[in-house]
Amino acid sequence: MAPRRGRVEMRRIEDRTSRQVRFSKRRSGLFKKAFELAVLCDAEVALLVFSPGGKLYEFSSVSSLESTLDRYQTFTNAENVVRKLDDNAQNRDEEFALLEANSKVLEIGKRLVETNLAEMNAEELGKLEEDLCSALKWATSRKKQLMTGSLNRPEKELLPIKIQFATSESCPLRPSKDHLILGCSILLSTF
């Protein structure tokens, strides 16, 4: 009866001769598995192994290792190009959204400055309130992004004083009537 193989402890083999013998056997087994993978699964396999002494051992399932390495380089370069294009597209989308939000806030501010609130009817005031709420939500969201994205600190340290807004069904961040004018002037002064 053959002796059972035990679990091998994964650490460097101290004895130089034993290490070289183990390297040779493991390398042969690795190359055998690479060959089997290539034959059984019709995969293109390339394998490079450097011995502790610096000797190169290579295996390729196709005619030359260089063709597989060229294919790998082409693949990784194409993947990097696609990743960069995706990043650029995402940046353009974010810039567009930022410009759109900025123009909306400027439009609201201009409308607020040009109109007399006393002359507005209930419907116009409601529309103005909705626009102010959406601008306030955007500004709050952007502020949180900047503060949490640029600094790696807990929110408690960043915002020691939180302004509590009254909640309602139409606008969860709607300020009280006393803070409406103050909030508008702050929004206008920041843009």
Side-chain angles (χ1 to χ4, degrees), residues 153-172:
R153 294 185 191 162
E155 189 177 333
K156 291 177 185 174
E157 289 179 36
L158 295 173
L159 301 171
I161 301 171
K162 287 190 174 185
I163 300 173
Q164 301 269 328
F165 291 107
T167 59
S168 75
E169 294 173 13
S170 62
C171 180

Side-chain angles (χ1 to χ4, degrees), residues 132-133 135-137 139-141 143-144 159 161-168 171-184 186-187:
L132 285 171
C133 285
L136 184 60
K137 286 179 188 177
T140 304
S141 169
K143 179 177 135 186
K144 285 181 181 178
L159 301 171
I161 301 171
K162 287 190 174 185
I163 300 173
Q164 301 269 328
F165 291 107
T167 59
S168 75
C171 180
L173 295 176
R174 189 178 86 197
S176 64
K177 291 178 184 177
D178 298 335
H179 296 104
L180 184 61
I181 304 282
L182 176 64
C184 293
I186 289 171
L187 277 174

